[in-house]
Amino acid sequence: MFEGKVAVITGASRGIGRAIALALAQRGAKVVLAARDRERLEAVRKEADTLGAQALVVPGDLRREESVEALRQHTLNAFGTVDIVVNNAGVGKYGSILDFTPADYDWIMDTNMRVSFLVTRAFLPPLLQKGTGDLVFVASVAGLKGLPQEAVYCASKFAQVGFAQALDHELRPKGIRVSVVAPGGVNTEFAWGTGRTPGDPHLNAFLRPEEVAEAVVFALSQPPHARAFLIGLRPMVEPL
Ligand code: NAP
């Protein structure tokens, strides 16, 4: 389905990003795996390898401009082009606003919004040069409605959705398709130690990362004249 396409996935070392990378690899894409944890990225690369896909590991903290520039350069050096950019890296913390330090705020806003900005900005020139391509944002239902105990996380995800909506105006006439996938709870390592506890049985009722990856595949497999701008997903245990 994505034979010959080059897909960059941020936050590909585990969870939803890993599942997206493998779903695209399984369908013929060359995948570029970005996150900080080199060992875990290597493990995902090996999984992609067994699927017969080419995969490139580029470790780095994407809040840093130089890491994003390295990601751009390694991608273009290895594959010569880019077709799909999945802005998925993200972090969260739950709790009362009074329990948030300025450092928590910077960590969440920088990872969820600044990284989306830096990565999008880095890969737009080659996408615009081709006049076709996909930008996908893994946002959250927390980017569509305010939720208790999630003020800063909601702010970061609203920002990401606003960024995507605004970009759609700018980029659609230039052939770039923007899609937002907004899941509810997903059973990953997300917010472990900052509001979620590993092994908590409640997590078993959440969505699986592979289900979110299928929503990304759905967005990316629309025909050229169409797009799925916003896909919302929720587990049955959560209200709308
Ligand atoms: P996860 O398992 O914690 O994965 C987060 C990913 O982001 C990891 O690969 C992590 O890799 C990467 N990352 C974090 N900080 C980074 C940085 N500074 N630079 C580069 N990579 C960084 O969580 P997940 O559930 O898969 O989350 C993926 C996305 O889905 C996030 O945007 C999250 O907000 C969103 N989401 C999650 C849920 C949920 O319930 N799980 C629900 C809705 C939306 P390293 O640690 O190796 O850098």
Side-chain angles (χ1 to χ4, degrees):
M1 189 186 285
F2 302 124
E3 275 80 13
K5 302 263 187 205
V6 176
V8 177
I9 302 106
T10 69
S13 58
R14 58 175 191 261
I16 296 170
R18 168 187 166 273
I20 293 169
L22 295 178
L24 300 185
Q26 195 170 28
R27 291 164 174 85
K30 298 169 190 167
V31 290
V32 182
L33 311 170
R36 291 165 302 179
D37 189 326
R38 180 188 291 272
E39 265 182 41
R40 281 189 164 208
L41 289 172
E42 283 296 343
V44 179
R45 189 187 60 71
K46 285 195 186 115
E47 289 184 274
D49 208 41
T50 60
L51 296 169
Q54 271 181 274
L56 176 71
V57 162
V58 188
D61 184 335
L62 297 171
R63 288 171 294 179
R64 296 160 56 105
E65 241 181 294
E66 53 271 33
S67 303
V68 175
E69 177 53 20
L71 175 62
R72 188 187 71 82
Q73 279 181 16
H74 285 300
T75 300
L76 296 179
N77 287 345
F79 297 129
T81 190
V82 65
D83 302 281
I84 297 163
V85 178
V86 183
N87 282 292
N88 165 78
V91 294
K93 171 177 169 169
Y94 297 94
S96 158
I97 193 64
L98 292 175
D99 296 330
F100 279 70
T101 63
D104 290 330
Y105 176 90
D106 288 346
W107 172 59
I108 294 169
M109 291 300 282
D110 285 355
T111 312
N112 299 355
M113 184 56 235
R114 179 179 159 87
V115 172
S116 294
F117 163 70
L118 290 177
V119 171
T120 301
R121 179 171 162 273
F123 286 102
L124 258 183
L127 288 174
L128 288 170
Q129 206 175 6
K130 289 180 103 160
T132 179
D134 278 275
L135 279 178
V136 180
F137 293 86
V138 179
S140 170
V141 291
L144 307 175
K145 59 189 274 187
L147 296 166
Q149 307 286 299
E150 298 187 34
V152 177
Y153 183 65
C154 283
S156 73
K157 289 291 171 178
F158 267 70
Q160 212 186 14
V161 173
F163 183 66
Q165 278 182 6
L167 279 180
D168 181 65
H169 288 280
E170 189 174 327
L171 301 177
R172 183 186 51 78
K174 298 178 176 163
I176 313 299
R177 191 161 56 179
V178 178
S179 309
V180 173
V181 173
V186 188
N187 189 1
T188 65
E189 294 174 36
F190 179 80
W192 279 11
T194 51
R196 287 190 190 167
T197 311
D200 179 348
H202 288 105
L203 299 179
N204 293 332
F206 281 3
L207 299 168
R208 317 278 181 270
E210 292 74 19
E211 291 154 3
V212 182
E214 287 306 313
V216 173
V217 168
F218 176 78
L220 291 173
S221 49
Q222 294 306 301
H225 67 278
R227 70 205 199 280
F229 173 71
L230 176 61
I231 302 176
L233 300 164
R234 297 215 83 162
M236 288 301 281
V237 289
E238 289 179 0
L240 286 179

